[in-house]
Amino acid sequence: RDGSCVGYEQNAEGWVMLGRERDIQLPVVAYGELEASYGPVPLGGQPIRVEAGQTRGFCLFSSSWRGVVLRAKLGDRFEPGEVTDENEHLRLAAGLLPRNDQLYDDTMFTDVYSEDIANAFVGSIDYRVVP
């Protein structure tokens, strides 16, 4: 979605589906694994363009109980929208976790586990800066 996802976790308006895949199996990464290997997330085969200074919100949702790996802050918690990782080109922020107790993808945007505790992305992002 254009703009931040904060405040839109329970509202489908403005979100655009970029990819969908059934029965995808991502690699399992163990806690503390030094050489983690992540699998690609299908996004429709097209790169996502983010202009300089632009904010984009992303939601990765899995109907599998193993789902997408998330990261919590040890001994504390991430606030929704708190910056978790950044470099000179990208800044990632924590987001709320959609509830998926029923194992159906139609539960997206209906409920979150906690409105006060956010989770951070785990994985790698392949990108290039285009002049």
Side-chain angles (χ1 to χ4, degrees):
R1 72 170 279 113
D2 286 330
S4 172
C5 61
V6 176
Y8 294 92
E9 298 89 353
Q10 297 180 64
N11 181 351
E13 189 174 319
W15 290 93
V16 177
M17 185 178 297
L18 298 177
R20 181 185 187 119
E21 181 71 33
R22 294 272 185 195
D23 302 320
I24 189 171
Q25 181 65 48
L26 296 174
V28 175
V29 178
Y31 177 79
E33 190 171 328
L34 297 178
E35 297 294 326
S37 174
Y38 303 102
V41 176
L43 296 174
Q46 296 296 317
I48 300 169
R49 188 171 181 91
V50 179
E51 300 292 334
Q54 182 182 20
T55 298
R56 299 285 305 266
F58 295 92
C59 178
L60 301 177
F61 181 82
S62 174
S63 60
S64 166
W65 70 271
R66 299 197 68 153
V68 176
V69 177
L70 302 171
R71 186 175 86 229
K73 189 188 283 187
L74 278 174
D76 201 356
R77 65 181 187 173
F78 288 118
E79 299 290 331
E82 179 180 343
V83 174
T84 60
D85 302 276
E86 64 183 317
N87 67 18
E88 62 183 303
H89 303 123
L90 296 173
R91 181 178 302 135
L92 301 180
L96 299 181
L97 180 62
R99 188 174 289 281
N100 188 19
D101 293 336
Q102 300 167 6
L103 302 179
Y104 300 111
D105 57 3
D106 61 357
T107 62
M108 189 67 209
F109 305 117
T110 60
D111 198 10
V112 295
Y113 279 102
S114 170
E115 295 193 17
D116 301 318
I117 301 172
N119 290 273
F121 176 75
V122 174
S124 62
I125 298 173
D126 292 329
Y127 72 94
R128 66 182 168 126
V129 176
V130 179

